[in-house]
Amino acid sequence: MSTVGNLHANGGRLMGQGDLGSGSTLDLINNCHVADEENDFPELWKEQKLSKETDTTKLLLINISKIPLLLFLLFMFICSLDILSSAFQLAGGKVAGDIFKDNAILSNPVAGLVVGILVTVLVQSSSTSTSIIVSLVSSGLLDVSSAVPIIMGSNIGTSVTNTIVALMQAGERNEFRRAFAGATIHDCFNWLSVLVLLPLEVASGLLNRMAHAVVKSFHLQSGEDAPEMLKVVTEPLTKLIIQLDKSVITGLATGDESMRNRSLVKVWCKMDHTSVSMSGSLNCTSWQDGSTSCFIVNNTSQENIQKCRHLFVDSSMPDLWVGLILLGASLAVLCSCLVLIVKVLNSILKGQVAKIIQKIINTDFPYPFGWVTGYLAMLVGAGMTFVVQSSSVFTSALTPLIGIGVISIERAYPLTLGSNIGTTTTAILAALASPGDKLASAFQIALCHFFFNIIGILLWYPVPAMRLPIRMAQTLGERTAKYRWFAVLYLVLCFLLLPSLVFGLSLAGWRVMVGVGAPFAGVTLFIVLVNMLQSHSPHRLPVRLQSWDFLPTWMHSLKPMDKLIAKAAPCCKAGRHDDATLPAFDNPVLSYLDETSSVPVFKLRGLERCNSTPL
């Protein structure tokens, strides 16, 4: 910022001289002569050089000392995501179990997709929703073909976490634009894949057939539990705050009404199930030959041995209140950690360091191997997700890095796709650890999830022209940068209102859903086609349709709604205009790289004689 300020000051003085070209060139040449004369004083020159090296060493040591702080903040950030998931399960876990209980609705593929979205949003964990689906299939309450759309929905629902994380960077407009685009690229990929693969699955059962063929070709045996590397680090803290009994949600989903009044908060961590002979309890049977045989009935009793140790173990509050308390606390910790992480990263990644890191992360391999870079990034994303055992954690950790500009959205895209693959391999390992009677169905569902993501990658990545999620996410990012409230509208509309509306229509029957959904889908398709033709071939359209100006303003612009929101929230009104006119550069180098400067920049003659970089 000081360089830009000096440029303005010098520019003002030069403009005052009346002859910008000759005046500035003479000054620069004189400066070159002064720099040459400094070579006549080697001792002074050495002292200045030594001082610069000392300052560089101090800066390096300060940056290294910030790394433990960054790791601690990242640890707290991940723990807060874990507590956030527990809070959502406490607040909506039983509702999620009840939603899964109605198998007649789940047989409708569209309703199944919506149920997968809603349940995963409610419990904030695709692994939890997937485990419920596995339990339903293995118990015979749901067949695999009906479970595939629910798996697709859980894939969409799990991407809500990093979208929430992106909202925490709304304070700075440019960071918010990049962060929201990086977060929603996951949403766009999942929605596009569902739009193609769900009709294909309903028509042909492609994913189900592929998974079934793989299951039949392998002789499967139950193995050990999937590794939980990240939980080894986070559980010592999160277990002191809350522990959940997830069998309650699964029990409700499978129709066990005894779980209805049972709390999700875990009280006893160690229990002993023993078979006890109760004296006097006889079961006698009379046979045709006149003989009678009697035996003592053995009743199984449960003995509580060790009580859990966490904050809410002795709480008498209902699950909803505990969930709301944890929700508020986890969001506060998550926001604080995210803000501090961004600040620490901005202080570390300055100047040449930022340029070097950006170049390493975002640069492709040299020709002709440039195409390999994206697939290598996928492997990195899959490996990192396998290590942390959660795609939500990995993509949420990427979001602030995308926001400050360290990782470009073009590089974040393959990393996110790799994360999708990584979370399915974890599910496959978890399925292989299932009991023998549940192994085949659990493995088949996990493979359906895997093939869904693989086919989606084949559709939307290898051909550059088909990388539509990148363009869609960038459009959403630019929209949210202009109207920040649009991010909240997007989140509520895509993950709550629209799925809830479709779910409500599915309760009324498929005729009602088709009667309402078909006209809506037709209008949406018409608008998309007209927009594409307006952008690329407007002459093919009638004159009236070459723009949407013939419609009322509120039907083709967000400005009227923006004015209403500005009036409803006057406290935000002043900040909106300040942000629009005065961009804030928390990290000037990174902000400058992808922002078009509104300040006129002069390339002055004579700069090359001083071996300087043009401003």
Side-chain angles (χ1 to χ4, degrees), residues 428-444:
I428 289 172
L429 288 175
L432 290 174
S434 301
D437 58 334
K438 300 180 181 180
L439 180 59
S441 57
F443 188 61
Q444 187 172 346

Side-chain angles (χ1 to χ4, degrees), residues 258-301:
S258 64
M259 297 290 183
R260 175 71 57 189
N261 297 320
R262 188 169 168 180
S263 174
L264 275 165
V265 179
K266 200 171 188 179
V267 178
W268 297 99
C269 288
K270 193 173 182 181
M271 293 177 291
D272 185 23
H273 298 270
T274 56
S275 180
V276 182
S277 296
M278 307 295 291
S279 59
S281 179
L282 295 175
N283 189 359
C284 298
T285 304
S286 298
W287 304 99
Q288 292 181 354
D289 59 0
S291 61
T292 302
S293 60
C294 298
F295 58 91
I296 299 174
V297 176
N298 291 329
N299 295 323
T300 302
S301 67

Side-chain angles (χ1 to χ4, degrees), residues 74 77 81 165 392-401:
L74 187 61
F77 175 75
L81 286 175
V165 170
S392 298
V393 170
F394 177 71
T395 52
S396 298
L398 278 182
T399 301
L401 295 175

Side-chain angles (χ1 to χ4, degrees), residues 78-151:
I78 294 170
C79 288
S80 66
L81 286 175
D82 194 352
I83 299 297
L84 182 70
S85 174
S86 299
F88 272 102
Q89 289 179 56
L90 283 165
K94 289 186 177 180
V95 177
D98 288 334
I99 290 174
F100 270 128
K101 194 170 64 174
D102 196 341
N103 301 317
I105 295 175
L106 298 182
S107 60
N108 183 333
V110 177
L113 173 75
V114 172
V115 165
I117 297 172
L118 288 174
V119 169
T120 309
V121 169
L122 284 173
V123 301
Q124 279 289 288
S125 172
S126 60
S127 58
T128 300
S129 57
T130 304
S131 66
I132 296 173
I133 297 166
V134 171
S135 300
L136 288 171
V137 172
S138 59
S139 61
L141 296 174
L142 190 68
D143 57 0
V144 175
S145 60
S146 299
V148 173
I150 308 176
I151 289 289

Side-chain angles (χ1 to χ4, degrees), residues 340-367:
L340 292 173
I341 285 171
V342 171
K343 294 294 182 184
V344 172
L345 284 173
N346 276 329
S347 65
I348 294 175
L349 303 176
K350 283 184 177 179
Q352 293 300 320
V353 177
K355 290 182 179 179
I356 292 169
I357 293 175
Q358 269 203 324
K359 192 172 183 180
I360 291 172
I361 294 177
N362 300 316
T363 302
D364 294 338
F365 287 124
Y367 181 82

Side-chain angles (χ1 to χ4, degrees), residues 135-275:
S135 300
L136 288 171
V137 172
S138 59
S139 61
L141 296 174
L142 190 68
D143 57 0
V144 175
S145 60
S146 299
V148 173
I150 308 176
I151 289 289
M152 294 182 182
S154 69
N155 218 43
I156 293 173
T158 193
S159 61
V160 72
T161 308
N162 51 325
T163 309
I164 294 173
V165 170
L167 293 178
M168 309 307 169
Q169 292 183 265
E172 204 282 305
R173 193 175 295 272
N174 296 317
E175 282 188 13
F176 189 37
R177 172 177 57 81
R178 291 188 292 260
F180 196 80
T184 52
I185 200 170
H186 198 185
D187 310 348
C188 297
F189 170 79
N190 287 330
W191 279 109
L192 286 173
S193 298
V194 164
L195 287 174
V196 174
L197 292 178
L198 182 62
L200 187 64
E201 177 65 20
V202 172
S204 65
L206 174 66
L207 299 177
N208 190 13
R209 292 174 187 272
M210 291 172 65
H212 183 66
V214 173
V215 170
K216 285 186 67 176
S217 63
F218 285 99
H219 180 65
L220 300 174
Q221 293 182 349
S222 295
E224 297 180 356
D225 290 340
E228 296 184 348
M229 303 175 190
L230 187 67
K231 287 190 175 181
V232 174
V233 181
T234 59
E235 273 191 353
L237 177 61
T238 56
K239 274 191 171 182
L240 293 175
I241 300 172
I242 190 67
Q243 294 182 45
L244 300 183
D245 185 2
K246 296 184 180 179
S247 63
V248 175
I249 304 175
T250 306
L252 286 173
T254 53
D256 187 358
E257 289 299 323
S258 64
M259 297 290 183
R260 175 71 57 189
N261 297 320
R262 188 169 168 180
S263 174
L264 275 165
V265 179
K266 200 171 188 179
V267 178
W268 297 99
C269 288
K270 193 173 182 181
M271 293 177 291
D272 185 23
H273 298 270
T274 56
S275 180

